[in-house]
Amino acid sequence: MSFWEVLWLIVRSRGMTERSAAEAEQIEAAQKKYIQQTAGTSPAAQIAEAKRLLAEGTITESEFERLEAKAMS
């Protein structure tokens, strides 16, 4: 690999890291908002809200399953 190819990979990986961190912050904020909104609500309402977040792409399928299990407990 040439110097420029290595440099390009380094610069590109920084961008991917920054995007991953921003995405993690967005997911955390969505989960926090979900918890605040659903505190004291019925399990059905909690699951419906989690489904909405999943449909919007805010949370992943595994995160939805975790929230669903928590609402059912």
Side-chain angles (χ1 to χ4, degrees), residues 5-62:
E5 290 172 324
V6 172
L7 180 62
W8 181 81
L9 287 173
I10 292 169
V11 170
R12 182 171 167 86
S13 68
R14 284 186 191 150
M16 290 188 310
T17 301
E18 290 169 2
R19 285 189 298 277
S20 294
E23 183 179 339
E25 289 175 11
Q26 181 184 15
I27 290 169
E28 185 178 342
Q31 288 177 335
K32 184 176 180 179
K33 180 180 176 184
Y34 168 78
I35 291 168
Q36 289 172 341
Q37 288 176 341
T38 58
T41 61
S42 70
Q46 292 176 17
I47 293 169
E49 178 65 17
K51 282 184 182 179
R52 183 186 65 78
L53 292 172
L54 178 63
E56 291 175 353
T58 306
I59 62 173
T60 64
E61 182 69 33
S62 63

